[in-house]
């Protein structure tokens, strides 16, 4: 599996953390970190993966992985994408309730007031899951909010699948391979997720909102 380089800090942050991003001046949100850590741990245990195995495939230390699982560290989107890749799921599997052994779900509708949300508060990125949550879903729909200066980091990263989206509000800078585009309201995109990429909100006074689709193609 292709291993992305360690992420550099996002523009809006003020101090470095172990996931490769920077911490903002906002207070910590331990409840969110604990919930995400539990989902990662549960997925790992369902698949009978050891921390050593995950560390080997992600180039992350066992200590850092343990901190994520215990909610002591807030992972960046780049790190979450790496972990989801190793666990054979999309990032959507990190939303909602802990996974069952088979990951099955027959839910069809997600109500507006019941959207699971993943806040990456250190980097100014949050994702609301619009499609029903299940570990076996291959196609997932998100509403991505980018705070002013919010970013996935300066380093490009890769993961399994394909993605596409539509900018609903504001502006987003999207880099795929060596090319960068400024996307504004009404602009859309699509690319294979194995192509190195990153995205950010260049505005310092306005949020960006993007309707985002991720399709996991691997096993």
């Amino acid at each position: 599996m292709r291993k992305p380089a360690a992420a550099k800090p996002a523009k809006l942050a003020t101090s470095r953390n172990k996931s490769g991003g920077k911490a903002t001046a906002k207070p910590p949100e331990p409840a969110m970190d604990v919930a995400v850590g539990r989902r990662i741990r549960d997925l790992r245990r369902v698949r009978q993966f050891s921390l050593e195995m995950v560390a080997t495939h992600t180039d992350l230390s066992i200590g850092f992985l343990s901190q994520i699982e215990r909610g002591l560290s807030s992972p960046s989107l780049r790190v979450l994408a790496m972990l989801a890749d190793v666990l054979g799921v999309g990032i959507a599997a990190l939303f909602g309730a802990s996974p069952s052994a088979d990951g099955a779900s027959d839910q069809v509708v997600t109500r507006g007031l019941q959207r699971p949300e993943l806040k990456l508060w250190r980097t100014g990125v949050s994702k609301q899951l619009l499609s029903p949550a299940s570990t076996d879903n291959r196609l997932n729909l998100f509403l991505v909010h980018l705070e002013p200066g919010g970013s996935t980091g300066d380093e490009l990263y890769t993961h399994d699948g394909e993605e596409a989206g539509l900018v609903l509000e504001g502006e987003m800078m999207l880099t795929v391979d060596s090319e960068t585009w400024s996307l504004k309201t009404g602009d859309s995109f699509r690319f294979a997720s194995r192509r190195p990429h990153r995205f950010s909100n260049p505005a310092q006074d306005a949020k960006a909102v993007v309707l985002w689709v991720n399709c996991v193609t691997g096993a």
Side-chain angles (χ1 to χ4, degrees), residues 46-112:
V46 165
R47 282 151 180 74
Q48 299 182 343
F49 290 171
S50 66
L51 281 172
E52 291 82 357
M53 181 185 301
V54 176
T56 297
H57 287 284
T58 59
D59 246 3
L60 301 172
S61 72
I62 294 175
F64 179 44
L65 290 172
S66 177
Q67 286 187 335
I68 291 175
E69 290 193 355
R70 289 181 289 153
L72 302 179
S73 289
S74 181
S76 66
L77 184 59
R78 179 189 71 88
V79 169
L80 289 179
M82 292 168 62
L83 292 172
D85 224 12
V86 169
L87 296 169
V89 298
I91 286 182
L94 305 182
F95 291 71
S98 297
S100 62
D102 58 8
S105 172
D106 58 0
Q107 185 180 346
V108 174
V109 173
T110 299
R111 301 294 183 184

Side-chain angles (χ1 to χ4, degrees), residues 151-157 173-176 196-200:
S151 171
T152 57
D154 293 336
E155 295 296 329
L156 304 176
Y157 68 100
M173 300 299 294
L174 174 66
T175 298
V176 180
H197 58 280
R198 66 175 296 272
F199 58 89
S200 64

Side-chain angles (χ1 to χ4, degrees), residues 10 12 26 77 117-121 123-128 143-153 157 166-175 181 183 189 198-212:
L12 63 103
K26 298 178 183 178
L77 184 59
E117 186 172 19
L118 182 64
K119 290 184 179 180
L120 305 172
W121 56 276
T123 55
V125 180
S126 67
K127 302 182 75 167
Q128 290 183 333
L143 198 61
V144 176
H145 294 260
L146 295 170
E147 296 297 329
S151 171
T152 57
Y157 68 100
L166 169 67
V167 179
L168 301 178
E169 297 178 25
E171 180 181 5
M172 181 182 76
M173 300 299 294
L174 174 66
T175 298
W181 297 267
L183 303 176
F189 59 90
R198 66 175 296 272
F199 58 89
S200 64
N201 177 6
Q204 297 302 311
D205 57 358
K207 182 194 297 187
V209 181
V210 185
L211 183 65
W212 208 298

Side-chain angles (χ1 to χ4, degrees), residues 175-197:
T175 298
V176 180
D177 294 325
S178 59
E179 191 167 0
T180 299
W181 297 267
S182 172
L183 303 176
K184 298 186 178 181
T185 302
D187 293 339
S188 53
F189 59 90
R190 174 191 170 278
F191 60 92
S193 304
R194 285 297 181 192
R195 298 174 66 183
H197 58 280

